[in-house]
Every structure is written in structure tokens, then in C-alpha cells.
Amino acid sequence: MVTSTGPIRDFPSASDYQEALQHPQLCFNHPELKASVPELTKLRLPRPISGAFASVFSLTSNASGQRYAVKCFTRHVPDQEARYQAISEQLATLSPSALSQPWKMGFEYLPAAIQVGRGRYPVLKMEWVKGVTLSAWLDHHHRDSAAVDRLADHFSDLTADLAAHSIAHGDLQHGNLLVADDGTLRLVDYDGMYVPALSGRDGTERGHRNYQSPARGSDDFGAEVDRFSTWVIYLALKAVAIDPALWPQLHEPQGEYLLLAEDDFKNPSISPRFPALLSHSDREVRDLADQVRCLAWQPLNSLPPLMLTPAASVSAAPSSPSATPGTLPSWMTGHLPPSATMQGPSPVGLPARFTGRRALDAFAAVLLLVALVIPALLLATGTPTAYSLFPTAVAVLVSRATRRSRTETQLLREHTLALKQQHRAAANAEKAAAALRLERERLASDEDDRKANLITQRNYLVRQHQTDLAEAERRKLNTWASIDHKISAVESGLQTALARALAAERAGFVQTELQRGRVSTARLPGIGEKLKSDLAASGIRTAADFSGVRLKQTTSSGYNNTTAVIVMATGHEVNVKGIGEAKARALDAWRAQLVSAAQARCTIQLSPSRRLTVTSEFDRQRAELANRRRAAETEATNQRNQAALRLQDGQTRLSNEAAAAADRALKQREEFARRAIQIQNSQNGLASVEASFTEARRIRRALSYSHYLRFALIGH
């Protein structure tokens, strides 16, 4: 599980984790890890033990004093948490008392446990195991044959424990096997472990190249995936136990292997190390080395588990000279496919002399004797030489044909032809092996490219799905924003309409009050009864009859004059004689005073019926916009569902394509294994073919023409 404030990105590097672990109390959310102290380098930085896909740090809890190994992942594995859950549950079922030794290591997978930068990442909290790696232990103890032999037995017992529960480690190698102080083994690094609950999934790694079969592919992931590694390690331990000098002879200091490495498995015939084991004076070393040589290139599910041929079986095998090249020791019989024990044609059983003279043989002999006498007689009579030698030539041809028809010579010809074919196959084996290696490497490269492309396509599908979801959400939010803007406009329009309706109601009240304000009874400075009568004559009887006054500037006889006009309620203007600027202002002030007083007294509110009349249209608009808003959400949901279906269809398509490609790759590897066995048999049978050729030449001399003539004449 990875959480981040941004999109999914690559996992942090070892240096990123190293920087974060300088402050455990800040980067961890696990209580015990928060209160822990990392082991530091001389530069006072957390010390990493870095591998291909993770870095391990040693932390000691301040509370309990317990030391832990914390694995920080530098590569993302999509189903990592589910894998560790399955592994944890399987290992929990193994009772310590039922195991051959305490090889099982406790661990706890903590999702989103460490913060590095802005992201949170998982870690694996493991108990710290005291021990040294297998190769480091052999560096110091290879001379102690008894201790190494006991360790070989412990290793055999450990693999038996795994096999008994259908578990495979996935990366058995010297760095993942620790030797404890009591000489027993501890198994570490469960990243690539197989348990039955993970059946059907691909492996997450191929294992260390110096311990894996050349035939192992990316999709080999099952209970048998450790078998080749098991034989490689067991061979090294038993060989060093028998002959400690093999360790300094075949193992390079700091070498990432024990006795044999990847190049040895790929091409044993030109291996720099295999010959020392295959030709060793000890039968057990030779047999084990030959077993590993024969198992290379074979499909993993055809390899025998170590526990089916324990050390006792090897040591109990009868002592005999080294096996003939191309053959298998008796104790291996039954563990390999029949094709692995093929041998070249043997000369044994071929007749080495002519037996059983036929009448035709006697006739050929007599004919030859007669043919030798006739030329002499013909020459004596003066017959030309060419004619005199003709009977002899005919007799020789007949006798040679008679010899070729013999069963002995026919069997020899057939046997020699088979030997030539075998010899050609053996002579071409190196070229065929090189071509096969190229094909295997090309297949492995294609498989790597295919898997990388599969990850790219799956990531593209996920990104496209996220893009589709974001686009659906963006469209919905844009539609909502537009609708919300319209809803706000409707609300604003409603308030404006209500305000206008209320203003109209209150304007009516003010108008009524102004109608009560009669000019005739008003106290208007400068306006007497005569002017009031003139105003009435002009239609100005109440304050409601006019809306205000307006002053106009006019020019007459070179003088500027100000004329006051009264604006009527209807909008037209009247000029009342005698109403000048001052009186007009007094009239307007009177009206304004009445308006203010009326407005102050007005308490009118809209009636429910009037309010309903105003709001009904706006309510309809609001309901319509709400429906459009819900429709936008429905459309977004449909788009999300369609995006999910596209993602599911794409993932199903990719899974089907991956399964079909994996099946094709498996069949191709099986074909490679079949060809490898044929090539190996051709190479192994070369010496046997050469020996058969020598014997065939001896038999050919015994069945020569001169021997046949003697046999035809005297019968032996």
C-alpha cells in the first residue's frame, strides 16, 4: 500500500530512506519503530544493506531493547501486501517443534509505515537473525569436513521441511542462508516465496543467477522452483565436506557463488569449474556433479527433489569406476526423463567374422578360381589381353557382390552409417548449443520486454481510467458550476422581483397618502389662495398630482432668466404664472416632506397570495435547474461506470494475452529443454561414438574382401 499526496510514483531509493531514517520519530508511524535507534555508519548515517529491490536497516527499540531488521522497498510490487499476508499465514501454521531446525523467521508487514518526502510507503519489520552467510561460514570452516557435512544434512532437512508443506523460497542462495552459532540454518528474505495460496500468480523475481537453472523463466513459480538451486547448494556442501581443497580451488574470494556459477550451468562442456568435479577421484562428488550437469536446461517441474535421493543413497551406491560419459549413475535412474540417459549405438553384438558359408559363397569362390585359369590359357593362344582378363573381372565383381549381400557386412554398414550420423551430431553439438543459448537468451529478453510492456500497458489502463474519471468529474463540476450560476441568478431575480412587488405595494400607499395632502390646505411659503387657485386650475390640487419641479435657464433681451416648471404625475410639464424658483422649491419641499412622512408610516408587506404569484415562476426555474444538476450527476456516474468497464475489459484482455504468451513461452522452454538434452547426449556420446568407430574399424578388417575369399574357399 502506498499513499501519497500526488500521483503514484517510483519508490524511494536507498539514500532517500537513509535520509528519512535519521529521524525515526518523524518518519515512522509504528510506536516501537518511532522509539528506535538505527545502526549508524562512520559518517553517522543509518547503515543500509542494499539489494536489488530493497534496503534493510538495523534498528534497536529503546523500549524493549529488541533489535529488528526493517526492509524498505525500492520497487513497487502491486500485490505485495497480499503476498506477504499469504506467506505469513502459511508460515504461522508451521509448528517450531515439527521443523528440523528453527529456520523460520518472524516478520510483520506494515503498510504505509514510513514517510519519505510527501509519500508513505510499506516496510517489513523482521526479527534480527544472528548468523553469517553460507559463503562466509565456508570461508572459515571449509577445512572442518565433519562440520560441513553436518551443515549439508541440515540443508537437506531444511529443504525437506519446505517440500513437505509445498513451500518454495524462490531465491535459495548463499546470502539468504545464514548459519547460526549452533551450526543450524536460518532462512531469510521471503520476497519471492511461494506458498499454495499464491498458486496461479507469477513470481516477483528469478532468483540469484548463479543458483538458478538456465531453463527458469519469469513465469516459473511453484513448489518446484527451488529444486535446481537445492542440488547446486547440496553439491557444493557435500563436495567441500569430502574434499576441503575444492573450496579455495573453485571459489573466488568474495565470489557470488559457491563452487559453480551461471556460466557453468549454461555450457558445462567449456566450464572452467565443472571438470574438476566431474573428474574428481571421489565417486560421490562425480555423481552429484553429473546430476547437476544433467539437470541444467531441464524443465523445473521434471527435476527430482533432493529428499528423494538422500546422501545415504549416494554413499550406498556400489563402488565402481567413473560412469561412461553420456550415462547416468544407477542411483539417478528414475529421476530423469528417458531421453536424459540416451547413448550412441554400440558395436556390441556385431559379428566379427563370417560364419555359415552359403552355396552362393562357394560358387563365387569356384568362379574366381576358374576365372584365374582361363586368362592364362587365352594368353597362351594369342588372345588379346583385354579379352583374356574379362572373365577375371566378372568373377571379382560377382564375389564382391556376394560379400556385400552377407548379413555381417550389411550390419556393419548400417552400424557405420549410424555412427557417422551420431558423430556429425556430436561434432555439430557445440554450434547447436551456442544457437540454443542465443534462442534462450532471446526468449528471456522477449519475456522481459513482454512483462515490462505488460506493466506499461496496465499502468496506461490505470492512468487512462484515472483520466476518464477526472474528465467525468470535470464535466460534472463544470455543468454544476453553470447550473449553480443560473440558480444564483434565479435567486437574485426572485429577490429583485419580490423587492419590486413590495416597492409597488408601498408606492401605492405613498400615493394614497399624497392624495390626502391637498394644496389648498397646505402651508406653502409665498403661495396664497390666488396661486393655489391657479395651481388647481392647472391640475395641481394634491401632492399626488405632480412629481417634482424643474428649473430652466432662458435668455431674453440679453438677460439670463430662471423659469420654474412643475412636472406632473403624467410626466408632462406645466408653467403656472406666479410660481417662480422660490415658490416652486417650497412646493417641491412640501411634497418631499409628505413622501418622507408616508414612507415612515408605511408597514405594508406582500400578502401570501401576492408573494406566491411572484415566486411561482422562480420556483419552476429552480426545480428545472435542480433536475439538470441531478442529471449531470447521473451522467457522471454513467461515465464512471463505463470507464470502470473499459478498465476491466482492458485488464482482462491483457491478462488473457499474458496467460497465452506465458503458455507459449513455457512450451518453447520445454522444447528448448528437449533440444538441450539431445545436444547434451550428443556431446556426452562423442567418446562412446569414437570408441565404437575404433571397434567398427577392427570388425571391418575382420570382414575384409580377402577374409571373405578365404572364408568362401575353406569355410572359416
Side-chain angles (χ1 to χ4, degrees), residues 400-670:
R400 284 188 176 277
T402 306
R403 172 182 172 272
R404 288 181 61 84
S405 69
R406 294 283 306 184
T407 301
E408 296 89 343
T409 55
Q410 289 178 355
L411 289 176
L412 179 61
R413 283 197 303 273
E414 292 172 358
H415 177 68
T416 303
L417 179 61
L419 284 177
K420 289 179 178 178
Q421 292 174 343
Q422 288 288 324
H423 194 273
R424 281 196 298 271
N428 294 328
E430 288 299 328
K431 185 183 296 184
L436 181 59
R437 282 196 298 275
L438 288 177
E439 289 185 56
R440 286 183 181 277
E441 291 169 1
R442 190 178 301 116
L443 175 62
S445 176
D446 290 345
E447 281 294 280
D448 289 340
D449 292 344
R450 180 184 66 79
K451 287 181 176 290
N453 185 53
L454 177 63
I455 293 174
T456 299
Q457 292 187 63
R458 282 176 172 166
N459 290 340
Y460 172 78
L461 286 177
V462 172
R463 289 196 301 271
Q464 188 61 46
H465 177 64
Q466 293 171 340
T467 300
D468 291 343
L469 295 182
E471 178 63 17
E473 188 67 13
R474 184 190 65 79
R475 290 178 179 175
K476 182 193 78 173
L477 293 178
N478 287 344
T479 302
W480 276 9
S482 175
I483 292 173
D484 290 345
H485 179 72
K486 293 177 180 179
I487 290 175
S488 297
V490 168
E491 293 294 335
S492 177
L494 173 60
Q495 297 305 318
T496 300
L498 289 173
R500 287 176 179 173
L502 181 59
E505 293 284 341
R506 292 186 173 182
F509 174 81
V510 171
Q511 193 68 13
T512 300
E513 291 298 310
L514 291 179
Q515 288 175 354
R516 291 194 182 102
R518 304 189 66 81
V519 174
S520 59
T521 60
R523 297 181 62 183
L524 302 172
I527 300 177
E529 293 301 326
K530 177 65 172 65
L531 285 177
K532 290 180 180 181
S533 177
D534 292 341
L535 289 170
S538 298
I540 303 172
R541 296 181 179 84
T542 67
D545 295 333
F546 69 100
S547 60
V549 299
R550 184 178 301 161
L551 301 178
K552 293 183 176 182
Q553 299 292 331
T554 60
T555 302
S556 178
S557 301
Y559 293 97
N560 292 328
N561 298 318
T562 300
T563 303
V565 297
I566 300 173
V567 181
M568 302 299 288
T570 58
H572 69 278
E573 299 175 351
V574 298
N575 185 0
V576 180
K577 187 177 180 180
I579 300 297
E581 178 181 357
K583 294 176 182 177
R585 291 182 183 278
L587 183 64
D588 190 52
W590 169 70
R591 183 184 182 282
Q593 184 179 8
L594 291 178
V595 169
S596 297
Q599 289 176 341
R601 293 194 305 274
C602 181
T603 58
I604 292 176
Q605 298 294 330
L606 290 178
S607 65
S609 60
R610 176 59 178 158
R611 187 178 184 87
L612 180 62
T613 301
V614 174
T615 60
S616 58
E617 175 60 21
F618 292 97
D619 289 342
R620 184 192 64 77
Q621 294 180 24
R622 270 201 305 258
E624 180 182 347
L625 291 172
N627 289 336
R628 289 172 57 186
R629 204 175 193 277
R630 286 191 292 272
E633 174 61 33
T634 301
E635 182 180 359
T637 300
N638 291 336
Q639 291 173 349
R640 287 192 292 267
N641 291 339
Q642 291 171 3
L645 287 175
R646 286 194 296 271
L647 175 63
Q648 183 178 0
D649 291 344
Q651 290 176 332
T652 300
R653 174 180 56 81
L654 290 179
S655 296
N656 292 338
E657 291 176 358
D663 185 59
R664 290 194 298 270
L666 177 61
K667 291 178 180 177
Q668 195 165 359
R669 283 199 300 275
E670 291 174 348

Side-chain angles (χ1 to χ4, degrees), residues 213-216 294-303 337 339-340 436 440 443 665-681:
S213 166
R216 181 175 179 179
C294 292
L295 296 182
W297 296 113
Q298 295 196 45
L300 298 186
N301 56 9
S302 71
L303 305 187
S339 59
L436 181 59
R440 286 183 181 277
L443 175 62
L666 177 61
K667 291 178 180 177
Q668 195 165 359
R669 283 199 300 275
E670 291 174 348
E671 172 63 16
F672 287 162
R674 184 188 64 78
R675 288 168 54 190
I677 292 172
Q678 292 176 343
I679 293 170
Q680 191 176 71
N681 288 338

Side-chain angles (χ1 to χ4, degrees), residues 44 94 118 126 131-132 150 160 163 185 188 242 263 268 332 341 405 424 437 448 489-490 505 540 559 590 601 637:
R44 308 299 296 169
L94 306 184
R118 299 177 60 191
M126 306 171 288
V132 296
R150 284 194 300 272
L185 291 165
V188 300
I242 292 169
D263 293 341
M332 296 184 194
T341 58
S405 69
R424 281 196 298 271
R437 282 196 298 275
D448 289 340
V490 168
E505 293 284 341
I540 303 172
Y559 293 97
W590 169 70
R601 293 194 305 274
T637 300

